Amino acid sequence: MDENVRGHSSHEKIIVSGAPGYMTVDLAALARNYVRLSGEVAPARAAAVVKADAYGLGAEKIAPELYKHGCRHFFVAQFAEATVLRPLLPADAAVFVLNGLQPGSETICARDGIVPVINSLEQWQRWAAEAEALEQKLPAVLQFDSGMSRLGLPPEDRPVTADLLKTENSIDVLFVMSHLASADDPENIQNAAQKAEMERISAEFAQFPACFANSGGIFLGKTFHGVLTRPGIALYGGAPTGGTENPMEPVVSLDVAVVQVRTVPSGTRVGYSGTHVTTAETRLATIAAGYADGLPRSLSGRGAVYCDGVRLPIVGRVSMDSITVDISALPQNRLTLGSRVEVLGPNQTLEDLARDADTISYEILTGLRHRYQRQYL
Ligand SMILES: *Cc1c(COP(=O)(O)O)cnc(C)c1O
């Protein structure tokens, strides 16, 4: 066997060198972020939002780690994600499906103890029918739309929902929940409006505890928490609030390998469509990741990577599998075939990269899951 490839499990190998990129997920930092958020919301609890494979970091590793640190509520977006996660967690952990109860998923949800978030009266009826067929009470979260117009029961369905609850006892409602649309911006007036609407919902359904804040909502204050909060991005080190210092610890770092180095004269075109033309003799390095690896094409001519704290600007277009950077600011021969440059780390945060790519940290994180060698600390 190649000495650079270690057997890990029957179907998984860890490449310790020779990979195009190395993504490190610091599980200790993740745990500290969870403890930090739990402290912030106490006596309310912090769930963990682990949808989209825990924002691309690997839900199979992230969720059990958070369980060890006291997390008992896990939210995924889709039924299929719940079926993967459910067997990896002990029975006293709850797995909730944010996107709701999809037709066809009822029997497996009931059998495996997956808790749907009920987003409509139709979903309520389907879940109630399943409960009646099984002659057993089934758990659910009731989501109400408090102003985002995305998911959840609309205001006009609240009276009939309240009536249903008086007669129907086949569904065990664990929480009423809603989701904030603008929680990352404390100045946004939508926050107060949604909070007021959530307070009305909580009054109308006073028998059930409330589940409200996402990461940003946690830092809007206690009145946004309910008894259960649902942080996602903050767990993974993303900034919960825009434009202020990030209170969370970084969890992800990413280094990418250099695959070629060259020196070109002034007046040389670089990359697809020749969008960049050098204005002096320039040393260039091509690195082994591109838009297929989650480094958006919008970084073309804008973003940078780092080496020894030196900024290396991206020149020309981001390709599918590679990016060319200007390394003239580094000492000669500092970077050679196989050297690594920092894409995410001490010199460049998720927010830095997202800003340069004209997107948000969430999109960067969830895009990084493909071809890098992933290591958990
Ligand atoms: C994604 C999501 C969250 C987590 O949001 P963050 O901003 O990442 O903390 C919470 N609740 C719902 C309903 C979501 O869709």
Side-chain angles (χ1 to χ4, degrees), residues 49 51 55 98 150 177 179 214-215 230-233 362:
V49 177
K51 61 192 181 189
Y55 291 38
L98 288 167
R150 186 179 70 167
M177 71 165 266
H179 188 47
N214 65 336
S215 298
R230 300 183 310 275
I233 195 72
Y362 301 66

Side-chain angles (χ1 to χ4, degrees), residues 85-160:
L85 193 59
R86 182 62 274 182
L88 302 176
L89 290 168
D92 66 338
V95 177
F96 304 97
V97 180
L98 288 167
N99 276 0
L101 185 70
Q102 275 308 97
S105 72
E106 297 89 346
T107 305
I108 293 174
C109 284
R111 187 195 66 196
D112 294 352
I114 292 167
V115 183
V117 171
I118 298 293
N119 286 322
S120 67
L121 289 171
E122 186 193 349
Q123 291 177 21
W124 172 279
Q125 252 115 32
R126 285 175 170 279
W127 198 226
E130 185 71 23
E132 278 145 32
L134 294 172
E135 296 179 9
Q136 102 191 51
K137 212 164 163 144
L138 291 175
V141 172
L142 267 187
Q143 175 160 226
F144 293 97
D145 179 14
S146 60
M148 190 174 179
S149 311
R150 186 179 70 167
L151 289 169
L153 291 144
E156 62 270 24
D157 285 349
R158 297 213 304 254
V160 42

Side-chain angles (χ1 to χ4, degrees), residues 172-320:
D172 181 16
V173 177
L174 305 180
F175 301 99
V176 290
M177 71 165 266
S178 194
H179 188 47
L180 291 158
S182 303
D184 60 326
D185 174 13
E187 307 298 313
N188 195 307
I189 55 167
Q190 196 176 10
N191 294 323
Q194 284 197 267
K195 186 179 76 166
E197 185 69 356
M198 187 59 183
E199 281 162 0
R200 282 189 285 275
I201 292 162
S202 289
E204 288 166 36
F205 300 90
Q207 66 273 47
F208 307 123
C211 171
F212 196 26
N214 65 336
S215 298
I218 287 174
F219 292 92
L220 292 176
K222 293 270 175 220
T223 55
F224 285 84
H225 293 170
V227 304
L228 183 67
T229 58
R230 300 183 310 275
I233 195 72
L235 290 170
Y236 311 119
T241 307
T244 56
E245 208 185 317
N246 185 356
M248 311 316 298
E249 247 187 87
V251 172
V252 181
S253 57
L254 175 65
D255 289 344
V256 170
V258 171
V259 286
Q260 191 154 39
V261 177
R262 75 182 69 240
T263 302
V264 298
S266 182
T268 305
R269 290 188 186 278
V270 181
Y272 279 120
S273 306
T275 55
H276 182 84
V277 184
T278 57
T279 54
E281 185 177 273
T282 305
R283 275 184 296 125
L284 299 172
T286 301
I287 65 170
Y291 59 77
D293 305 289
L295 303 182
R297 194 161 170 277
S298 52
L299 290 169
S300 297
R302 299 173 57 174
V305 300
Y306 286 80
C307 175
D308 301 336
V310 176
R311 185 174 190 275
L312 310 174
I314 292 172
V315 288
R317 292 261 166 88
V318 171
S319 296
M320 184 189 293

